[in-house]
Amino acid sequence: MLDSCKLKSACNLPLICNKKIINTAGTSNAEVPLADPGMYQLDITLRRGQSLAARDRGGTSDPYVKFKIGGKEVFRSKIIHKNLNPVWEEKACILVDHLREPLYIKVFDYDFGLQDDFMGSAFLDLTQLELNRPTDVTLTLKDPHYPDHDLGIILLSVILTPKEGESRDVTMLMRKSWKRSSKFQTQSLRLSDLHRKSHLWRGIVSITLIEGRDLKAMDSNGLSDPYVKFRLGHQKYKSKIMPKTLNPQWREQFDFHLYEERGGIIDITAWDKDAGKRDDFIGRCQVDLSALSREQTHKLELQLEEGEGHLVLLVTLTASATVSISDLSVNSLEDQKEREEILKRYSPLRIFHNLKDVGFLQVKVIRAEGLMAADVTGKSDPFCVVELNNDRLLTHTVYKNLNPEWNKVFTFNIKDIHSVLEVTVYDEDRDRSADFLGKVAIPLLSIQNGEQKAYVLKNKQLTGPTKGVIYLEIDVIFNAVKASLRTLIPKEQKYIEEENRLSKQLLLRNFIRMKRCVMVLVNAAYYINSCFDWDSPPRSLAAFVLFLFVVWNFELYMIPLVLLLLLTWNYFLIISGKDNRQRDTVVEDMLEDEEEEDDKDDKDSEKKGFINKIYAIQEVCVSVQNILDEVASFGERIKNTFNWTVPFLSWLAIVALCVFTAILYCIPLRYIVLVWGINKFTKKLRSPYAIDNNELLDFLSRVPSDVQVVQYQELKPDPSHSPYKRKKNNLG
C-alpha cells in the first residue's frame, strides 16, 4: 500500500496512507543527527484482529486502529465495517529516533456523526524486538478502566531496522527538492508522483465464483443460505445469497485491482444469512495471487478452513488497463499521434478485437469555485475523487482554499458505455474521515467531447444543488458495435456501494412508483373493458373491426412489429416538437423529501423514532423496499426505452426489433423454438462455467429509471460562472 514508504520515512515526510496525510514520528531532519546509530525504521504490517469487542447494537463493530509514539499519531488504518474479526493487511513505515518510547496501539469502533467508541489498547515494547528480523506479534487488548474484560487480540508483523548511512544519502538528496516548512508541499511534483503511484493499479484480477460444495449446515432444517465475501486490500465484494442449499451455484464474475507487483492475498469468507440476527460463519480461505501465473485462467478448488466444504473459483490475472493521472501539460488527446492511435484502436474495423475494451475516457479536472467551508477557519482542504464503476482515482489536496485549481487529467478504459462518471469533492480532515462537499454524476452517453463545462455540485443523493461548481472537460471515444454487444451481457456491479438502509420516505417513494406502473396496466384494462361495454359506440366499433382484422391475419412477427412502430411513432413525435414526455416532478418531490429526512437523521441520530421501533424487522422491511424499487424500476425502464430517454438504447432496440421481425416473418416458429431449446440444453456442456444471463434484462438494466433520470439531470449553473473564465491562467 505504501510503495514509497521507505523513501518518505527516511526524510521524515508526511506518510500517505488511506488518502490522508499523517505526520511520521520523530523529530525533523534538522534536529536528527543522521549518523546517530539510535535512529531506526519500524516497518509494521497490521494483519488482523480476533474476537474484538462488540460496540454496536447489532452485535458487531466497525473497527479501525491507531498507532501512536510519544503522544503523536503516526498511522490510522481503514475502517472494517460490521466485523469482529477484521482483516486489514495494511503496511506502515515509521521513523523513530530512540526505542525508549513504546508503540501505543488503540482500537476504536467508528460511529458516523458520534464519538467513536474505545475498543481496547495495547503497548509494544520496541526494546524487545530483534534488529533486522521479521517478528510476528500478538497483542492482547485491554481497557485500563476494566482490566479484567476480554477485548480480543491484534496481530502484527514488525521489522526494526537501524538507519545509518542510507538515511544520510536519501535525506541529503531529498533536501534539495523539498521545502520542509510548508504545508503546501503535497502540491509539489515529487509528492504528486508518490500520490499517483499509491493509487494506480498495476493489473486486474478477474474472479468468477462458480459454486460451493458440501458446505456446513447452519440452520435447523439442515441447510444454509450461503453467500461469500471477498477482500483484497481495501477492495471488497459480496456475492448474492443462495437460499436453502449446501451446494450453491453462484456463477458471478467481478474484478479487483492489483496495486502491488507481487499480487497480494485475497481473503475469502463464507457466511449463512440469518434474517433478524447475526449471520453465521461457515468458513474461510485465501488465494495467494503471487503463486498464480499471469494472462492465464486458473481453476481453484479451495478447502474452507474453520468449517466444511469447498469453493470453486476461476481466477485470471491480467496487465493493467489504460489508466493514468497526469498534469494538463501531459494530454493524450492533444498529442496528434496518440489521438490517432486511440481512434484507430476503437475504429469500426476492430470490432472483434478485445470486446471488453469498449472505449477511452479522458477527464480533465480543472478547478472548482465557491465550495462549502468545512473547517472552523471558514476554509476547506478540498480534493477530488473521480470514479467510473469500480475504477477510482483522486487528485492532490489544495489546502485552505474554496476555489481550488487541480489541473489534472485522468484517463480510463471504458468497459460499458452506459456507465456513469461520478466526480466527488471532499474536504480532507486529518483527525477523521473526509467531509463531503459535493458531487456530480454524468452518463457517458450525455458527454459532449472537448467542451469545458461548469457542473453545479449536488448533494449526496444527487437530488438538489449544494454550494459550488466544478469545471470539467471530458472526451469519450468508443466503438458503437462493441458498446452494443456489451449491452447484452450482465452489468458490472459496484462493490463499494453502501448497503441500503430502511427509510420511511424511500419505502413510500418506491410504493408510489410501483403503484404508478400498476395503474398504467389497470387503466389499460379499463379502456379495453369500456370498448366491450360500448361506452363510446364509435370507439367500440373501431376496436371491434381492428380485433377481427388482427385475429384473422395474425402472425407472430407482428408482435415485434407493433413495438417497432411504437418506438418509431414516439421518435417522430420528438423530432417534430410534439414530445409528450414530462418532467417527473412527483419523483423529484419525493427525492427532496427523502433528502430532508436524511439530513434530519444525521442531526438527530440519537433520537428514538420510527426505525428504532421496527428494528427487529428491519431486514424484512429493507427487502420489501428493494423489491418495490426493482418492480417500479423495471416498469419505468420499459417506458423510458420507448420514450427515447437514452437514444442510443432506443436505436439499439429498433435494430433488434427489425431483426426479430424479419426472423419471425421468414423462419417457421418451430425452427426458432428448436434452435432456442438446443442452445439452452447444450449451453452447460459447451461452456461449463459460463455465467447465466438474460439479454433482455441486461439491456433494460442499462436504461435509467425515473429516479436515475432525475439524479443525472444537469443543473444550470449561475450565469456569472463562465467555463472559460481564467482559462489562460489555468492552462498556464
Side-chain angles (χ1 to χ4, degrees), residues 549-560:
F549 176 80
V550 170
V551 171
W552 184 258
N553 297 282
F554 178 77
E555 296 290 345
L556 198 60
Y557 71 85
M558 292 181 180
I559 296 176

Side-chain angles (χ1 to χ4, degrees), residues 266-279:
I266 301 177
D267 291 297
I268 306 170
T269 53
W271 301 83
D272 168 57
K273 181 67 177 177
D274 285 328
K277 58 180 181 178
R278 187 178 176 185
D279 295 347

Side-chain angles (χ1 to χ4, degrees), residues 477-724:
I477 298 173
F478 69 98
N479 184 300
V481 178
K482 284 185 182 180
S484 301
L485 295 175
R486 290 283 292 175
T487 304
L488 303 179
I489 66 174
K491 187 177 181 180
E492 181 181 6
Q493 299 297 318
K494 290 192 71 172
Y495 48 72
I496 57 174
E497 285 185 325
E498 295 182 0
E499 293 184 2
N500 292 325
R501 62 183 183 85
L502 184 60
S503 165
K504 292 183 293 183
Q505 290 295 337
L506 184 58
L507 191 62
L508 177 62
R509 183 191 80 187
N510 292 341
F511 176 76
I512 294 175
R513 290 170 58 208
M514 191 187 75
K515 180 181 176 182
R516 293 169 66 192
C517 295
V518 172
M519 288 306 298
V520 172
L521 301 177
V522 171
N523 292 334
Y526 279 135
Y527 184 87
I528 294 173
N529 192 58
S530 68
C531 293
F532 296 151
D533 293 339
W534 291 84
D535 293 342
S536 173
R539 185 178 64 196
S540 296
L541 180 61
F544 181 57
V545 173
L546 180 63
F547 169 77
L548 294 176
F549 176 80
V550 170
V551 171
W552 184 258
N553 297 282
F554 178 77
E555 296 290 345
L556 198 60
Y557 71 85
M558 292 181 180
I559 296 176
L561 181 60
V562 169
L563 299 177
L564 180 61
L565 292 175
L566 181 58
L567 267 169
T568 306
W569 173 257
N570 284 340
Y571 175 74
F572 282 113
L573 284 179
I574 293 171
I575 64 174
S576 63
K578 299 178 181 180
D579 184 8
N580 58 356
R581 296 177 297 178
Q582 298 179 352
R583 189 174 178 179
D584 202 334
T585 56
V586 176
V587 172
E588 288 185 11
D589 292 341
M590 287 189 290
L591 286 172
E592 289 175 2
D593 292 340
E594 182 186 339
E595 176 195 346
E596 292 174 2
E597 185 196 69
D598 289 338
D599 293 340
K600 184 177 180 182
D601 287 344
D602 290 341
K603 295 175 183 177
D604 304 328
S605 57
E606 296 181 358
K607 292 185 178 180
K608 306 298 180 183
F610 175 77
I611 296 180
N612 288 345
K613 293 178 181 178
I614 62 171
Y615 183 75
I617 58 171
Q618 180 171 350
E619 290 191 10
V620 177
C621 293
V622 169
S623 299
V624 173
Q625 175 179 283
N626 293 340
I627 291 172
L628 290 174
D629 176 62
E630 291 177 5
V631 174
S633 296
F634 183 78
E636 291 166 355
R637 287 184 168 114
I638 294 175
K639 179 198 71 174
N640 291 335
T641 301
F642 288 94
N643 277 354
W644 291 79
T645 300
V646 182
F648 182 91
L649 291 171
S650 296
W651 279 115
L652 186 59
I654 282 183
V655 173
L657 289 172
C658 288
V659 172
F660 293 154
T661 302
I663 290 175
L664 291 172
Y665 182 80
C666 299
I667 302 176
L669 180 61
R670 58 180 170 272
Y671 293 128
I672 297 174
V673 175
L674 187 63
V675 171
W676 174 84
I678 292 173
N679 175 65
K680 283 293 183 182
F681 276 105
T682 61
K683 187 174 183 179
K684 295 295 182 186
L685 300 177
R686 291 181 283 110
S687 184
Y689 303 119
I691 297 175
D692 297 329
N693 72 303
N694 183 298
E695 288 78 5
L696 178 59
L697 295 181
D698 292 334
F699 171 85
L700 288 175
S701 70
R702 268 64 172 205
V703 182
S705 64
D706 287 351
V707 172
Q708 291 172 321
V709 169
V710 173
Q711 290 175 335
Y712 300 158
Q713 281 177 351
E714 185 180 332
L715 300 179
K716 294 184 179 180
D718 190 322
S720 62
H721 290 290
S722 170
Y724 301 100

